[in-house]
Structure formats: C-alpha cells, structure tokens
C-alpha cells in the first residue's frame, strides 16, 4: 500500500477533483442509467468505476483498500487530464461533462 504521506496527499487530491457529494453522485448514476423502460436498482446504477468512487466517498481514509487507492489515482489522473485549470469550463461539451460526472467531477460546479 501507499505510504502515509502519499496517501494523505492522494486523499486530499481525490476529494478536490471529486467535487460532487455522495448523494449527488448516486443520483447522477441513477439518472444516467435510467431509460424510458427501466431504472436500475440504486446499488447497481452507474459504471463500476462510478460505483467504486461512490463507495470511497462513504469511507474513512483509514478504511481504504489497495483497490480503492488504485481507483483514486485513476480518477485524479482522468480528471486532471480532461480539465484545464486555466480555462473556464465549457458548458457546451455535454459529453465530456457527463463522462466526468460519472466519476464524481462536475466541471461546471465551483
């Protein structure tokens, strides 16, 4: 597992880039997976990564597993690569916004 200082930094960075609350993310995952004919069970809505992010948001730092740490690194890397801190979020890029929201980052949220 990651050493304590690195884990602390990852925890802080993960919670900085994942700017949706667990309630917001859970609701988004349900809406995203719902269609006109069916709606998934709340515990089954969303991608496996989205569900894992939701689970991490509900944990304490001391309860993280190695798999949690891998997902946290992947989410931080994905959000960092997809967003430019120097520019304003582009509201017109709905596809990108929705993909990022699936892992807990809403680029239009302050």
């Amino acid at each position: 597992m990651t050493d304590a200082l690195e884990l602390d930094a990852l925890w802080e960075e993960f919670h900085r880039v994942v700017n949706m609350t667990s309630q917001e993310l859970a609701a988004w995952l349900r809406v995203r997976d719902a269609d006109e004919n069916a709606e998934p069970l709340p515990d089954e809505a969303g991608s496996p990564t989205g569900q894992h992010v939701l689970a991490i948001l509900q944990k304490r730092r001391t309860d993280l597993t190695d798999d949690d740490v891998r997902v946290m690194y992947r989410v931080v890397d994905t959000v960092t690569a997809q967003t430019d801190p120097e520019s304003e979020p582009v509201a017109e890029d709905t596809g990108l916004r929705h993909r990022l929201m699936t892992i807990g980052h809403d680029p239009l949220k302050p």
Side-chain angles (χ1 to χ4, degrees), residues 33-40:
D33 270 8
D35 63 24
E36 61 189 45
N37 298 321
E39 185 173 327

Side-chain angles (χ1 to χ4, degrees), residues 16-83:
R16 185 187 66 74
V17 301
V18 175
N19 62 358
M20 295 170 70
T21 66
S22 59
Q23 293 85 5
E24 290 170 331
L25 179 56
W28 171 251
L29 294 175
R30 283 191 305 274
V31 167
R32 180 82 171 159
D33 270 8
D35 63 24
E36 61 189 45
N37 298 321
E39 185 173 327
L41 295 172
D43 293 343
E44 297 174 5
S47 68
T49 302
Q51 282 294 321
H52 203 142
V53 169
L54 185 58
I56 292 168
L57 288 174
Q58 297 168 345
K59 287 185 175 187
R60 296 176 303 176
R61 184 181 338 203
T62 56
D63 296 332
L64 295 174
T65 65
D66 289 343
D67 198 34
D68 294 337
V69 171
R70 280 189 289 280
V71 168
M72 290 170 69
Y73 274 118
R74 188 172 54 208
V75 167
V76 168
D77 290 345
T78 300
V79 172
T80 303
Q82 297 291 320
T83 57

Side-chain angles (χ1 to χ4, degrees), residues 6-22:
E6 190 174 341
L7 185 58
D8 288 347
L10 175 61
W11 179 262
E12 295 301 320
E13 184 67 5
F14 176 80
H15 282 86
R16 185 187 66 74
V17 301
V18 175
N19 62 358
M20 295 170 70
T21 66
S22 59

